[in-house]
Amino acid sequence: MAISCATVMAAGLAVTTTNVPTARAASYAELQQKKANHENLKAQLAGVNSDLASTIEELNDLANNQIPAAQQAAQEALQASYQAQSLADATNQRLEAAKQDKATLEQKIKETGIEYDDAKDSVAEIARNSFHGSDASKMMDVVTDAKTTDEFVAQMQSDAAAARSASNTADAAATTLNTSMNRQQRLDAIEQQITKLKEQADAQAAAAQKASQDAADKQSNLEALQVKDSSVREQLESKKSSLTSQSAKEAAEIVSLQAELAAMAAKAAAEEAARRASASSYTPSSVGQQTGSSSGSSNSGSSASAGSSNTASGGNTSSGNSGGGSASGMNYAVPGSCPEGSSYCYGHNTGNTVGGSAYPARQCTLWAYLRRSQLSLPVGSYMGNGAQWAATARGLGYYVNNTPHVGAAMVFSQGQSVGGHWTADWQYGHVAVVERVNSDGSVLISEGGTGFSTFPAWETISNAGNYQYVHY
């Protein structure tokens, strides 16, 4: 499965490509990986007080199973409610249009109804003016009252013209009569359509109401899990000092950080639900389109704890820097000291000109922008597709190497296999943000992308040296 992530540059403007967010089913490899992670966590917690171990395991389940599942369910329910409401609105529009057609047609029938009698009169006139008999003198005397042949011919021409006029009138009346009959048939058909549309509108309105309630219930469940997540994190924080082994401490820190990311994802989902609910109208074409926000405030979260709990390895070596800016004297503290939206920071141009508005909704590029902004690290508005971030950053003077550090943008090349269970998009690549560098050399990352059930998502990646990292 390839994670889609794109921001295409053209003619100096940002042209973004977006995909409708779709849920992806967990692969066998992912399920096996989750099982292995759980077993590894239990091994790391061997010998830990059972209550504390249970707290850590509960938090791990909340972060990696319950909250992602609840967020995906909430998103699907929200989408279903919008689709149901959109369908109900469309049917109501058709119903109103049908009612207007009926009113218009009724008015036309009312205005032309007298033509029924006109048609009958015209046909009767033709019958009365028909010529009968063959005696010319009788015709001259009776029919035309002519005394001479010339008078007869003239009168006949006059009568013929009158007959043609009457015939034309009858034809027109018959056409009008037929049209009027068709109008009545159309009126009957519209009546039937209105009846059916009314039934559909009522049923769809009820379905939309039910879908809306279901979405609200799913969102409430997600928010309840978010509250629980916060509570369990606090419990863990108060007990963490009792952990003695280094492996148990690291396991607790990783789980706590994952739970924090889960809370951020739940908060982002709640804000998105509220934003859509407050919108004046909903159109299906808006799904998956570029967001207009120019800042990362909509996905706010505590960035200080993300950096303070990490004993990140790697650092200020220039050997891995393939043409980026100098790392001399650079401060690797996270959060950094680059205000959000800064166009110049750490001695170079950041490339930030329009905030994050150039990046498409839910994509990896948007999340990388938002998260770097949260951590007060420099980030540009037009860094390109995921795979292009390293090259773009070098051009702007950022320090880029193959050594991970907390807060660095982790760049995946096109088609690069990640963890053995998914592949970066073959055209666009992928970009994520390093949240923690673990003692075994693996990294915990946060990331966006339409293939993930939450925004952000997170995972642990091995072989960290295989990737490029954008620092300051």
Side-chain angles (χ1 to χ4, degrees):
M1 198 283 301
I3 297 298
S4 174
C5 184
T7 304
V8 181
M9 303 286 290
L13 299 175
V15 180
T16 59
T17 61
T18 60
N19 296 321
V20 176
T22 55
R24 64 186 178 103
S27 67
Y28 177 76
E30 287 175 296
L31 294 175
Q32 290 298 104
Q33 185 62 47
K34 280 191 173 185
K35 182 178 179 181
N37 290 343
H38 180 68
E39 293 301 321
N40 183 55
L41 178 62
K42 292 182 67 175
Q44 287 179 290
L45 298 178
V48 174
N49 175 278
S50 59
D51 287 342
L52 180 54
S54 295
T55 299
I56 295 173
E57 290 180 1
E58 180 182 13
L59 192 58
N60 180 67
D61 185 51
L62 279 166
N64 291 289
N65 298 308
Q66 294 186 50
I67 289 180
Q71 185 175 346
Q72 183 170 354
Q75 288 175 337
E76 290 174 351
L78 186 63
Q79 185 66 23
S81 72
Y82 291 146
Q83 290 174 342
Q85 186 60 54
S86 179
L87 182 61
D89 290 345
T91 301
N92 270 318
Q93 290 174 0
R94 290 170 59 201
L95 177 60
E96 291 304 314
K99 288 180 178 179
Q100 183 60 49
D101 286 345
K102 177 187 174 185
T104 301
L105 192 52
E106 284 178 332
Q107 182 62 28
K108 288 183 178 179
I109 291 175
K110 181 179 178 181
E111 293 172 354
T112 59
I114 193 171
E115 290 179 357
Y116 288 124
D117 294 334
D118 288 346
K120 293 176 183 178
D121 291 343
S122 296
V123 173
E125 181 181 350
I126 288 194
R128 288 194 300 269
N129 289 335
S130 295
F131 292 100
H132 298 286
S134 58
D135 186 80
S137 62
K138 185 177 181 180
M139 287 286 287
M140 290 173 63
D141 184 41
V142 176
V143 178
T144 67
D145 196 27
K147 303 302 182 183
T148 68
T149 301
D150 290 341
E151 289 181 4
F152 173 78
V153 172
Q155 187 65 44
M156 281 295 293
Q157 288 176 335
S158 177
D159 287 346
R164 284 197 302 273
S165 177
S167 177
N168 291 338
T169 301
D171 286 343
T175 299
T176 301
L177 177 61
N178 184 57
T179 301
S180 297
M181 291 175 65
N182 288 339
R183 286 175 179 171
Q184 187 60 47
Q185 291 171 352
R186 293 207 310 274
L187 185 59
D188 292 341
I190 291 174
E191 287 280 12
Q192 294 176 8
Q193 185 184 35
I194 287 176
T195 300
K196 291 181 180 179
L197 288 174
K198 183 65 168 65
E199 292 174 354
Q200 289 180 10
D202 290 343
Q204 289 165 0
Q209 181 63 34
K210 183 177 182 301
S212 177
Q213 185 58 53
D214 183 52
D217 292 343
K218 292 290 195 303
Q219 186 62 39
S220 295
N221 180 55
L222 175 60
E223 291 171 0
L225 287 175
Q226 184 181 6
V227 172
K228 185 177 181 180
D229 172 88
S230 178
S231 175
V232 177
R233 268 193 294 152
E234 289 179 2
Q235 292 179 36
L236 176 58
E237 198 61 36
S238 66
K239 300 175 182 178
K240 201 162 57 174
S241 60
S242 64
L243 293 170
T244 55
S245 71
Q246 182 60 34
S247 63
K249 288 179 180 179
E250 184 173 58
E253 288 176 351
I254 292 173
V255 169
S256 181
L257 186 53
Q258 289 175 333
E260 181 181 356
L261 292 170
M264 291 170 63
K267 185 175 186 294
E271 290 175 346
E272 173 64 9
R275 183 187 68 80
R276 291 193 177 187
S278 63
S280 58
S281 62
Y282 167 78
T283 55
S285 62
S286 68
V287 179
Q289 295 302 308
Q290 178 178 326
T291 60
S293 172
S294 61
S295 72
S297 60
S298 63
N299 284 301
S300 61
S302 172
S303 59
S305 61
S308 61
S309 65
N310 292 280
T311 54
S313 63
N316 210 356
T317 60
S318 60
S319 59
N321 182 27
S322 304
S326 171
S328 177
M330 194 166 288
N331 179 9
Y332 272 89
V334 177
S337 57
C338 190
E340 182 178 341
S342 298
S343 60
Y344 191 85
C345 195
Y346 292 105
H348 64 83
N349 179 17
T350 67
N352 197 318
T353 56
V354 296
S357 62
Y359 298 115
R362 280 186 63 93
Q363 293 283 10
C364 64
T365 48
L366 176 62
W367 173 250
Y369 177 89
L370 294 175
R371 187 59 172 150
R372 291 272 292 186
S373 295
Q374 289 173 0
L375 297 175
S376 297
L377 300 175
V379 61
S381 301
Y382 299 108
M383 301 295 285
N385 300 324
Q388 297 173 317
W389 276 50
T392 303
R394 287 191 188 96
L396 290 169
Y398 288 75
Y399 182 55
V400 181
N401 64 10
N402 296 103
T403 304
H405 191 277
V406 175
M410 184 178 185
V411 181
F412 302 74
S413 59
Q414 295 96 328
Q416 188 168 15
S417 178
V418 181
H421 57 269
W422 64 271
T423 303
D425 189 277
W426 288 91
Q427 182 177 359
Y428 306 121
H430 187 56
V431 64
V433 176
V434 177
E435 300 290 345
R436 176 186 171 85
V437 180
N438 301 319
S439 59
D440 62 358
S442 64
V443 291
L444 174 66
I445 63 172
S446 62
E447 58 198 332
T450 59
F452 299 113
S453 60
T454 63
F455 182 85
W458 55 91
E459 62 183 316
T460 299
I461 303 295
S462 302
N463 303 318
N466 292 344
Y467 307 92
Q468 296 185 83
Y469 300 89
V470 177
H471 299 285
Y472 285 58

